[in-house]
Amino acid sequence: MLATAPTADGAPGSTAASSRTETPVASTSPITDVVETQVSLRVPLPVSAGIRPERCDRLSYLRYRSASGPASSAAADRILVAQPGILEGAGAFDSVARNTVRAAAEQGRHIEFWALDRRSNCLEDNTGIASGDTGKAVDYYYGGREVNGRTFSGFVTSDQAGWLAEVGLEQTVRDQYDLLAAELPDQRLRKQKVLCGGHSLGGVLTGVFATWDFDGNPATTADAGYNQCAGYFALDTTISTSLDDLQGNDGDMNGGLLPERTVPDTGLGLTVVRAGLRTGVLPRFLGLPVVLNPETMNLLAIGGLAARNAPDAESALLDSVPSNVNLETTARTLFSKDAGVFLTGRPTIRDFRLTNAAVLGAFVDDNSAPLAFLHSSVGLFDSPGGGRIVDKEFPVSNDVQGSPALFGSELKAIPDEPDGPLYTWRNFDRVGAPDDPVHRSENGTPFTTAAKEVTDIRELARSLSEQPLDFTEDYFPTRLVTDIQLIDEPELARKLVHKNGLTANPRITFVAGDGILADHVPEDENPVILPGYQHLDVLTAAPVQNGGGREQISVRLSAFADRP
């Protein structure tokens, strides 16, 4: 197919041959009446972006539609287009997309869900994970093994990604506009059928998109972002143009969506920050020496693969990867019972017998993992052999909670018998079952209850490892977040021409009841509060919840899409 591409300076108006591909995605999801494809279009970056891999001149998304619905997107009743959050890729939307498309089909409506992938994801090499074999994946990334004729060339460094210094707020919203214009050339059809939204940071990106002027002429409005959408949806976020809108009464900046000082408080402004990115003084993508960087996020996907293939088998994953400083310190940060264990490094996670599901749960569950914006409610550790499960007092104590926006508010638990019995994982729907031993904190309070658990760890593992477009975003562009935090600078502010765009269309807002934004969303948003949900649960929650009820985002979002 031919599609419109931007000119060299990024402005619309010229045409260029632009290949479009749509590839079926094989899935093991139990929801089999939803068709998933990967769509990719060639939409080149401006020449000024500099040298980059050819694959980075493409835009991609995951398209979900009902198997009984029309094959053409233009014939769908509605199309939901979702922007991912920070450090997040299109694959993270798999569960909520399937659940919502199915819920609409049950009511006789055929909607589509498009999960967008940002350009930076083109830097990821998912070849090893896509093999579907945990051993092959580890050998591919760490042993020089060839998979499908390819060998791993290493994780990309900031110096190798100079072009990311040009991928900021303007390019990100332009990419969404260009993709919509290419896939649905009739603007009137977009205005009638497209619902724009996102998760976490994706809500702010949607707000910016809604107010943006795309043709450089404020007097014309057919190109305005809000006129590409019939409505907005917010998944644990708000549709706004500033992270300040998510600042809570406790002073935690943006509800924990981003570190408070992602941009140094230098007062130097946009020009100097961009110069720092272009020269490499500032890193071109976000990352930390441990916990959050391309290698550790890639390991999370491998962990998802292991838990998907053999959830109840004793894990050998951490014994099979190298013992480098990054992985060892990350494991110590995520799996230390207290400060003493963290400082001494003994015992390590390698000293415990854990199933593959238990390893994954340790890294992402709200009763285990320390970082709230990574939390899902997927169950709890268990041990049929009677192994002790005790309070996890690092990095904050269960007695004295730290910032909920950073660490969450749930009691943390951890296995306590190295070289002892096998520790398993009690899935979300087995918490509170007759055979549940009800593991308790030292003060006698259960670490969790059925009402606090909403996501199936097997489906989370599948989403982490099965999607051709990754669940995580290993190379999140620093410029995107610096632009957002400096959005009041004149160069950016003058692009947000259509301030009325934020209120021009109806919206629906969902808030995780136990998540990082529970106390941060303005009351005038009239949010749908989801009890027991954490920040990622709004994307991953199971279609049938504990107690037998339907998952409410899919039910209510599909109903919202059915509005005139």
Side-chain angles (χ1 to χ4, degrees), residues 5-197:
T7 59
D9 63 0
S14 72
T15 59
S18 179
S19 60
R20 179 191 190 275
T21 62
E22 183 164 7
T23 308
V25 176
S27 175
T28 58
S29 170
I31 297 179
T32 58
D33 50 358
V34 173
V35 176
E36 179 187 2
T37 54
Q38 177 186 344
V39 180
S40 176
L41 301 89
R42 188 174 186 275
V43 183
L45 283 166
V47 173
S48 58
I51 299 172
R52 66 271 182 188
E54 190 280 332
R55 63 185 180 275
C56 298
D57 276 335
R58 303 190 69 85
L59 299 177
S60 299
Y61 67 96
L62 297 177
R63 178 190 177 203
Y64 298 85
R65 63 181 180 86
S66 172
S68 61
S72 168
S73 296
D77 293 312
R78 281 282 197 271
I79 302 168
L80 282 65
V81 179
Q83 276 278 0
I86 189 170
L87 302 174
E88 193 171 87
F93 289 97
D94 185 70
S95 290
V96 70
R98 291 179 183 278
N99 294 345
T100 304
V101 170
R102 170 186 265 188
E106 290 173 345
Q107 300 303 314
R109 299 279 286 176
H110 297 299
I111 68 174
E112 295 195 4
F113 195 110
W114 296 1
L116 304 183
D117 217 35
R118 280 186 286 269
R119 282 188 190 265
S120 54
N121 286 298
C122 68
L123 293 175
E124 298 172 2
D125 181 355
N126 296 325
T127 305
I129 297 161
S131 73
D133 184 290
T134 308
K136 283 185 181 180
V138 171
D139 288 345
Y140 177 78
Y141 296 110
Y142 293 105
R145 180 171 184 164
E146 183 177 293
V147 174
N148 293 334
R150 182 171 182 169
T151 56
F152 185 54
S153 58
F155 296 103
V156 176
T157 65
S158 178
D159 290 344
Q160 296 171 321
W163 64 277
L164 276 188
E166 307 305 321
V167 179
L169 191 57
E170 182 168 5
Q171 187 63 56
T172 299
V173 295
R174 165 67 64 184
D175 284 348
Q176 181 172 347
Y177 181 87
D178 287 345
L179 187 148
L180 286 173
E183 293 291 80
L184 300 167
D186 186 345
Q187 179 267 330
R188 294 168 299 178
L189 187 67
R190 299 197 293 273
K191 180 61 178 173
Q192 176 189 354
K193 293 195 174 185
V194 172
L195 300 178
C196 303

Side-chain angles (χ1 to χ4, degrees), residues 260-269 273 282 482 485-486:
E260 188 166 353
R261 292 299 177 197
T262 301
V263 181
D265 189 13
T266 61
L268 296 177
V273 169
L282 294 176
T482 57
Q485 290 190 326
L486 295 170

Side-chain angles (χ1 to χ4, degrees), residues 229-538:
C229 313
Y232 310 127
F233 60 97
L235 303 174
D236 211 33
T237 184
T238 64
I239 307 299
S240 65
T241 58
S242 172
L243 291 170
D244 291 344
D245 292 345
L246 299 177
Q247 183 169 342
N249 295 328
D250 57 3
D252 289 329
M253 183 67 175
N254 61 69
L257 284 177
L258 295 169
E260 188 166 353
R261 292 299 177 197
T262 301
V263 181
D265 189 13
T266 61
L268 296 177
L270 198 67
T271 301
V272 173
V273 169
R274 287 183 176 176
L277 291 170
R278 287 167 177 152
T279 60
V281 172
L282 294 176
R284 277 73 176 255
F285 55 83
L286 292 187
L288 298 173
V290 298
V291 183
L292 293 176
N293 54 60
E295 182 181 28
T296 55
M297 287 190 283
N298 190 68
L299 184 63
L300 178 62
I302 301 175
L305 178 60
R308 176 184 120 201
N309 289 344
D312 300 322
E314 185 168 352
S315 176
L317 175 62
L318 295 176
D319 291 328
S320 63
V321 297
S323 179
N324 62 38
V325 172
N326 177 31
L327 297 184
E328 290 304 312
T329 307
T330 297
R332 189 186 300 189
T333 302
L334 297 177
F335 200 81
S336 288
K337 182 175 71 171
D338 52 38
V341 172
F342 175 76
L343 292 172
T344 63
R346 292 290 182 271
T348 74
I349 191 172
R350 298 173 190 263
D351 296 322
F352 290 84
R353 297 180 59 212
L354 303 166
T355 63
N356 288 316
V359 170
L360 180 59
F363 291 162
V364 300
D365 186 65
D366 57 340
N367 297 112
S368 310
L371 298 176
F373 75 95
L374 294 175
H375 280 169
S376 290
S377 303
V378 292
L380 189 69
F381 292 111
D382 204 357
S383 179
R388 292 188 304 274
I389 295 170
V390 301
D391 291 83
K392 185 175 185 288
E393 307 287 5
F394 181 84
V396 292
S397 169
N398 279 339
D399 294 327
V400 183
Q401 282 290 320
S403 167
L406 183 59
F407 302 116
S409 58
E410 303 304 310
L411 294 172
K412 302 296 188 289
I414 193 169
D416 194 39
E417 291 189 51
D419 302 315
L422 179 67
Y423 285 92
T424 61
W425 191 259
R426 179 167 288 268
N427 202 7
F428 89 108
D429 57 350
R430 299 299 300 161
V431 172
D435 65 340
D436 187 353
V438 188
H439 300 286
R440 298 176 182 271
S441 173
E442 187 177 41
N443 66 10
T445 304
F447 285 113
T448 189
T449 65
K452 294 278 191 178
E453 304 298 335
V454 301
T455 291
D456 188 329
I457 197 167
R458 297 166 299 190
E459 286 301 288
L460 177 61
R462 188 184 61 76
S463 294
L464 279 165
S465 61
E466 189 175 80
Q467 295 303 313
L469 302 179
D470 206 2
F471 189 107
T472 60
E473 183 178 20
D474 298 355
Y475 301 98
F476 181 91
T478 305
R479 177 163 167 179
L480 179 53
V481 72
T482 57
D483 279 359
I484 291 173
Q485 290 190 326
L486 295 170
I487 201 167
D488 292 331
E489 293 272 337
E491 183 178 339
L492 287 170
R494 68 170 181 261
K495 306 289 181 65
L496 280 70
V497 171
H498 306 287
K499 300 294 186 182
N500 64 311
L502 291 174
T503 56
N505 297 309
R507 73 175 67 187
I508 188 168
T509 300
F510 297 94
V511 175
D514 289 345
I516 60 180
L517 300 184
D519 298 324
H520 297 258
V521 176
E523 292 182 2
D524 60 7
E525 290 282 331
N526 297 316
V528 177
I529 306 297
L530 302 158
Y533 281 55
Q534 294 289 344
H535 190 53
L536 288 183
D537 288 324
V538 298

